[in-house]
Amino acid sequence: GSGDSVSLNQTFESETGVSFKYPDGWAAQDDEGQIILSNSPEGLEAMTALESGEGPGEGQVGMMVMALPLADLGMPEDTTVDTIFDMMTGSMTSEGMETVGDTEELKIGDNDARKVNVKDAESGSDGFIIAFLDENDTYMMLIGVTASGERDNYDDVALDIAETIEYTAPAAE
């Protein structure tokens, strides 16, 4: 990265208990439990249309934020980030995503994290998956999608956002 640090001044909190911070001028929404954010309203719209094989346009980045408690996934507490990362990435690659290059090992806060670059075979969009297990055994995943060739522009801000993802289980009704 170029070392340009973006201030994350906005906070998003979903009804499902996921919260994170993001930069001014970006937009975030909870679309029926799917939490998406983008650096523009148009990018947000592109993210909601991803299923149709369209991806973000030039200069747009879209991200999906997921928090999956291991217990909800039926996985034991001693599951490692590698085990679940491989499983989740595997299920995505079966849906037309190709991984590009090696999986990178990094830290997000004090947590072991993994990052891999991906490409969508259909739309040609570039993307990345950043994932970590937090101290409460919740698997956090940030999936980014950009126009072809623009992935690297958003590496730094994506990692900054990932650092702020938190999950609080909703109170039982």
Side-chain angles (χ1 to χ4, degrees), residues 103-172:
T103 298
E104 194 183 330
E105 300 188 3
L106 58 160
K107 286 272 190 199
I108 291 194
D110 295 330
N111 305 299
D112 286 330
R114 299 291 178 267
K115 175 174 183 282
V116 70
N117 290 332
V118 294
K119 188 158 192 75
D120 185 331
E122 193 176 351
S123 65
S125 301
D126 279 338
F128 51 82
I129 303 170
I130 298 169
F132 62 96
L133 272 171
D134 78 357
E135 54 282 0
N136 303 315
D137 293 318
T138 300
Y139 180 71
M140 305 291 195
M141 193 154 68
L142 180 68
I143 302 167
V145 189
T146 71
S148 182
E150 297 186 9
R151 177 196 297 127
D152 296 351
N153 301 354
Y154 303 102
D155 262 350
D156 293 343
V157 69
L159 288 167
D160 288 348
I161 292 168
E163 294 250 355
T164 70
I165 302 172
E166 290 180 2
Y167 174 73
T168 310

Side-chain angles (χ1 to χ4, degrees), residues 15-88:
E15 291 178 10
T16 51
V18 180
S19 70
F20 55 86
K21 294 187 183 315
Y22 62 98
D24 288 331
W26 286 43
Q29 73 180 49
D30 188 339
D31 184 28
E32 295 175 17
Q34 189 165 14
I35 301 162
I36 49 180
L37 77 154
S38 176
N39 58 351
S40 69
E42 298 77 23
L44 203 58
E45 215 162 285
M47 284 301 284
T48 56
L50 269 185
E51 304 291 311
S52 63
E54 301 282 318
E58 211 169 300
Q60 295 176 352
V61 60
M63 299 183 194
M64 267 176 279
V65 179
M66 297 165 80
L68 306 165
L70 287 180
D72 292 4
L73 295 169
M75 301 186 78
E77 282 178 15
D78 59 2
T79 302
T80 65
V81 69
D82 282 318
T83 302
I84 188 162
F85 183 77
D86 291 348
M87 186 184 88
M88 296 305 257

